[in-house]
Structures are given as C-alpha cells and as structure tokens.
Amino acid sequence: MLQPTALPLLLLIFGASAATFAARVPPRAIRGYDSYDGFPIWNGDYLSEVGLLRQAALLAQQVNATHSERETDDVYYVVIDEGWADVRGPEGTKTATRRKRHPGRSTGGKETSDSLLTVSGDRPRRSLNAFTWYLDDYGRPIPNPQLFPSAINSTVGFQPLVSKLKLIDPRFELGVWMLKGITQQAVDDKLPILGTNYTAADIALTSMPCVWHTDVFAVNVSHPAGQVFFDSVMSLYASWGISYVKVDCIFGVGNYDLNNIAAVSLAVTRANEEHRSGATVPPMLLSLSPGVLTSNEMANSLRDTAANAYRVTGDLWDCWSTTLPACPTGRVSVWWSTLQLANLREQVNEHGVLDSAQHPDVDMVAVGTIRLGTNHTSTFSFSNIRYIVALWSIVRSPIILSGDLSGLSPWLTPDQLSMILGNKHLLALHVDSIATKLASFQVESHSSLAIKSVWTALHVARQGVAFGVYLYHAGYNSSSEGSETEGVWLNADWNALGISFVPVLRVVDLFTGRVIARSVSTSGPSFSVWTPVNDAVALRFEPDV
C-alpha cells in the first residue's frame, strides 16, 4: 500500500502488446494558448499583434522552463479568438478602415488587388454580438490591420505573424477562431463567391442564423457554390500558414449543423492537400464549438469527418467550487465539466471510438488574468491545475491555456505552471495514450459534493514500443473550503486493471520523474492509494527489474 501522498492518481504499467495497438496510435496532442478568456471582445478587450506575441513569449517560457529536452515534432497552437476580423479597432474603437473590394462579377472570380473603404462602426448593429467585418472581395474574413499591422493585404494575411511566432519558438503554429457560414454583410453586399458566377446571397440560409451571433448564416451546401465558398476560405487561411481553425456555432445542442460540419471538414481536407502535402508544417486541424451539451450521437456523427476536436461542455473559465451545474454569469464548473465528460465518454466507450483522432474538448484552462465583466485573477490553484491537466491528458482533451499569462497569481506561480506544462511525462500521457475508458465514476453527497473517478488508458510509444496502462483517479470536492488533508482511497483490483500478469512493479511519480516505490507485488487482491481532494497525482507503474 502506498502511503498517503500530497498528490488524485494516474498510473502507467508496462506490458501491453505493441502489435495490437500500433495501428491505433492517435495524432499528436493539442496544446497551446487561446486569447478568449483574457481578451473577450464583448468586454471591450481586443488582442493586438503585439499583445499576441507577448502571450506567445510567456507561453514559451512555460513550456520550456522545466525541461531542457525538446522534441522537434511537438506542436503548440497559439489561437487568436473572436475579434481579429472585427472593424472595431483597438480598445473598442468605433471607427476603422475596412478592407473591402468593390463587389461585382466583373472580376470573373479572379483575385484582384485590395482597395480601401472607410466605414463607421456606429451604424446600426444587427445583433448584440454582430460585427462589422473586414472582408475581402469574396466574403472571406481577413485581419483588421489596426490590430495586426503586418497583415497588409488579404494575400499576405497572417503570414508575417506566423513567421514571428516561429522566431519565439519553432514549435508554435497559429490558429484562428471563425464562425460557421457566411456573414450578413457579405449577403447584403452581394459579394461574389470565388471562381463562380454566384454571390453570397445565393448560398446563405438566412433562416438559419447562428443563434447567438445572428449576423452569420449557415451555408446551403447543396448549392453549387456552397462547398466552393468553404473551400476558398480554408484555402486562403492555409496559404497564410494557419494550422488550427476553431469553427464556432456549429456543434453541440442548439448549434449542431452536420451539413456545414461536413462541408467545412471537406474544405480543410482539400486545403491540406493543396497547401500541406509534403510540407514540413503540420496539417491544419479543425476544432468544433461551442459544445455546451454534446450527445453521444453528435460525437459519433463526426467519425467520418476531419474534425480533430469537439467541445463537450460550455465555457469553463475558472469556476471550481459549486454544487450547481452552472456557475454565475453562465460559466460551467470543473465539477460539471468532469460529470459531462464522464457521461459522454461512458456512452462513447460502447461505440468503440476511443482510439479515433477526434478529441473531446473540455474547454480551455483559465489561468492568469481573466476578464469577465471586471478583471480578476484565475481562482485555480496549483492543485486544481494538476487535477485538470492530468484528467484532460488521459482523455486527450486539448490543453489550451487562456487568459492574460502576465497575470499569474501567488497561488499559481509561473514556476508551478511550467512544472506541469513543461513536464515530458505528462506530455507523453497526453500524446500517446489510447483506448481511454472510464472504469468507474461515483458522485457522493454529504457535506458537499464529491467525485471519485477512475480512468484507464493504454500507452504506445512513438517507436511502436508498448508502455502499458495508465490509470487516473480523481478526488474532487465542490467546496474550496475543505482541508487539503481530506481525500479518498482508491482500491483498484489488479485483474480489473488487466495487469496481474506483471508480478512486481515499481512506481514512478510522473510529476517529478522520481521512483517513489519498488517491489510492489500484484499477487495481492488490490492496489490502494490515497487521493487528496481537488488535486492530481501522476504515477507510472513499470516492471521492477
């Protein structure tokens, strides 16, 4: 029996067959940074080019600080969220210059040079969240040059910014947020669809707006120009060097649109074939949002698409302690996210899609300064982050930091954060685990709500050598007031874990890399470990030879 340790459980045991699992090794893990939690435009916070590069530099410090070992094929995505194509300028400027070509079909669907047209952001807004967009001649959103001055025209786009990110860290790739479909602005202006004799008005399903961003419409993909529009958008973005596209208002209850998902998916596939075939840069990944609630049927409908990630919860932000599913201001709690993930994964297990390339997205990890109404520092502590990163890793959820990274707190210091993000052992878990299963899940109600969850996964090294079995045991208490010494015991049956054939094991703490126990026998009935609440421990079990 291991003595109580200050860390909920995750363990890895050597012994699985490499031949059995090598063909099902998932793609690289999705990690990085997203600007939304720190710079939400609806709160008047716009992230500029300089600001994004500052956040990228801070991210580089975090992922490089703990370990000097670097693998050249590791990728971190730096994602510009909502607002990069909004006409409103820095700090909520009301008037800006919009890049807009004069609409018409005289170009014959061929690319032309930019002309500039000054527009006023004071004109009536179409909805609370409506933009006045920067669009090119073909209705495709392009960067606001007030925010991103290196984006001198739609042909150059974000190419200079991609190059600047590479100077900070060669593993960094740029991603962008976008809404599904086509803007009402493009429809009103009857902008042509590139390569066709049709306009945006011909393909817009105006009866199907985004429910929370009503100036953007679904696209009629049965129309001859419908798929062409999506193809032109993704081809343009791929030509800029974009490697991650976060498509919003397209997935989850109230937003689910399989026709547009399939069309966007095909467009991403074609863009990769056009711009990334044989290239040294990674292929463009596709992420679907907002999730909120995701059913098993929705998750399974993505199996034949190119979607790499799909949201399964609403916006997480930094809410931990609550006995209710929803936190104030519409946020969801870690408790609710854990429960939703467990419910979904348990159903998905029955349909055998656990080894797919599609990652359930439990939302971004809020750290640093969070701007929700008023600025505040993320309430997540070091132990909270360990819980989140360990659980997100074993289910292979994207681990995307969000917030202003310059505002880390005394209860989550830069050194502590880098200890987790720069940990090569946790990265191996996140990257190479397969066949994730929810072994058990219990919700207990006493003085506060508590969760006991056990997850297992197999691990295959990139060289095809099998490592064994991961097991994650989480202790969660909805009350942040609880004593750090409180916790729960895990009693895991060796046979149930499938590792009884390994007679003697040693235990390695993945957070520190140290061996913390030797000569652990599997001849006994079970394995027990103490799991503190609101925390995570990462262990690897391997043959003690």
Side-chain angles (χ1 to χ4, degrees):
M1 176 185 298
L2 291 181
Q3 296 300 313
T5 176
L7 302 170
L9 167 78
L10 188 73
L11 39 93
L12 164 66
I13 307 105
F14 280 95
S17 167
T20 303
F21 304 109
R24 295 184 288 170
V25 175
R28 306 292 297 171
I30 300 173
R31 288 190 166 204
Y33 172 82
D34 185 290
S35 63
Y36 183 74
D37 288 6
F39 304 90
I41 67 164
W42 50 265
N43 200 38
D45 295 287
Y46 283 75
L47 185 65
S48 67
E49 183 169 334
V50 171
L52 182 72
L53 293 172
R54 182 188 185 200
Q55 296 301 313
L58 292 168
L59 176 66
Q61 293 175 15
Q62 295 302 321
V63 299
N64 293 327
T66 304
H67 295 286
S68 60
E69 303 94 335
R70 287 174 48 160
E71 301 192 41
T72 57
D73 56 348
D74 287 344
V75 174
Y76 292 86
Y77 299 94
V78 179
V79 181
I80 310 169
D81 212 289
E82 187 174 12
W84 60 271
D86 188 354
V87 162
R88 290 174 296 179
E91 300 178 358
T93 302
K94 293 294 185 179
T95 303
T97 301
R98 177 179 59 169
R99 289 184 194 281
K100 180 181 179 299
R101 302 188 183 109
H102 297 293
R105 303 183 187 179
S106 60
T107 62
K110 298 178 181 178
E111 297 281 0
T112 61
S113 60
D114 284 336
S115 60
L116 297 179
L117 176 67
T118 299
V119 297
S120 172
D122 291 328
R123 74 183 185 179
R125 306 298 295 282
R126 296 190 177 97
S127 71
L128 176 64
N129 292 315
F131 290 175
T132 301
W133 299 79
Y134 274 85
L135 303 175
D136 71 0
D137 264 354
Y138 307 102
R140 300 174 295 188
I142 59 177
N144 178 344
Q146 288 192 329
L147 295 171
F148 301 95
S150 67
I152 57 176
N153 57 48
S154 61
T155 301
V156 170
F158 280 126
Q159 289 179 30
L161 184 55
V162 171
S163 298
K164 291 176 183 179
L165 283 177
K166 293 294 185 183
L167 293 176
I168 294 173
D169 193 309
R171 300 171 297 173
F172 283 5
E173 299 290 336
L174 185 63
V176 295
W177 168 95
M178 61 177 287
L179 284 167
K180 73 166 185 183
I182 195 160
T183 66
Q184 183 171 341
Q185 186 174 312
V187 173
D188 290 347
D189 291 345
K190 292 185 169 56
L191 297 185
I193 306 303
L194 179 64
T196 77
N197 290 321
Y198 299 103
T199 74
D202 296 317
I203 66 170
L205 295 173
T206 56
S207 62
M208 295 178 60
C210 173
V211 294
W212 45 270
H213 212 304
T214 56
D215 64 333
V216 177
F217 306 120
V219 168
N220 180 4
V221 295
S222 64
H223 188 280
Q227 183 66 51
V228 175
F229 172 73
F230 282 125
D231 290 350
S232 72
V233 172
M234 294 305 172
S235 177
L236 178 66
Y237 294 173
S239 74
W240 293 346
I242 299 299
S243 293
Y244 191 89
V245 181
K246 178 180 177 180
V247 182
D248 214 340
C249 201
I250 200 170
F251 187 74
V253 173
N255 298 279
Y256 182 68
D257 187 340
L258 185 57
N259 288 332
N260 276 225
I261 288 172
V264 170
S265 170
L266 179 58
V268 168
T269 299
R270 289 174 173 172
N272 281 328
E273 292 172 350
E274 178 185 2
H275 295 280
R276 305 295 169 88
S277 179
T280 56
V281 295
M284 180 187 289
L285 299 189
L286 173 60
S287 172
L288 306 178
S289 293
V292 184
L293 288 173
T294 302
S295 69
N296 176 58
E297 291 73 22
M298 289 180 187
N300 277 282
S301 72
L302 302 178
R303 297 180 66 179
D304 296 325
T305 73
N308 300 97
Y310 57 95
R311 277 278 293 278
V312 298
T313 68
D315 291 350
L316 178 60
W317 291 80
D318 61 332
C319 187
W320 180 276
S321 59
T322 180
T323 57
L324 298 173
C327 292
T329 68
R331 293 172 290 166
V332 298
S333 66
V334 173
W335 178 87
W336 178 251
S337 298
T338 303
L339 183 62
Q340 170 66 2
L341 179 63
N343 289 338
L344 177 69
R345 279 314 245 196
E346 189 170 27
Q347 296 175 46
V348 172
N349 286 351
E350 300 171 0
H351 294 265
V353 298
L354 290 175
D355 296 329
S356 74
Q358 291 156 344
H359 302 246
D361 185 353
V362 202
D363 201 20
M364 300 170 287
V365 183
V367 296
T369 300
I370 308 301
R371 294 181 172 92
L372 177 62
T374 57
N375 298 356
H376 69 279
T377 302
S378 171
T379 61
F380 287 152
S381 66
F382 180 43
S383 61
N384 295 158
I385 294 296
R386 284 195 298 212
Y387 173 103
I388 291 169
V389 171
L391 178 57
W392 271 225
S393 293
I394 198 167
V395 301
R396 291 186 292 111
S397 169
I399 298 177
I400 305 291
L401 301 185
S402 193
D404 184 344
L405 300 183
S406 66
L408 293 178
S409 66
W411 51 89
L412 179 63
T413 67
D415 287 345
Q416 289 176 325
L417 184 58
S418 65
M419 187 185 304
I420 301 172
L421 296 178
N423 188 304
K424 63 180 181 180
H425 304 291
L426 281 179
L427 178 62
L429 168 66
H430 194 205
V431 170
D432 297 316
S433 61
I434 64 174
T436 301
K437 293 191 297 185
L438 179 62
S440 67
F441 191 83
Q442 295 176 287
V443 178
E444 299 179 354
S445 179
H446 32 81
S447 58
S448 58
L449 285 172
I451 291 176
K452 298 179 184 179
S453 60
V454 178
W455 296 79
T456 64
L458 296 167
H459 179 93
V460 179
R462 295 169 206 172
Q463 295 81 8
V465 178
F467 273 57
V469 179
Y470 285 108
L471 185 147
Y472 170 86
H473 183 224
Y476 177 89
N477 190 311
S478 64
S479 172
S480 59
E481 307 286 326
S483 168
E484 290 296 322
T485 61
E486 294 177 355
V488 292
W489 283 97
L490 164 67
N491 296 301
D493 182 87
W494 295 117
N495 291 319
L497 293 176
I499 53 176
S500 59
F501 61 90
V502 183
V504 181
L505 302 168
R506 64 183 175 189
V507 186
V508 178
D509 182 346
L510 296 186
F511 283 123
T512 65
R514 293 195 298 265
V515 176
I516 60 173
R518 302 192 69 119
S519 302
V520 177
S521 174
T522 62
S523 60
S526 65
F527 168 76
S528 299
V529 65
W530 175 258
T531 306
V533 297
N534 303 339
D535 201 342
V537 103
L539 304 178
R540 179 173 71 243
F541 273 40
E542 56 192 34
D544 193 6
V545 294

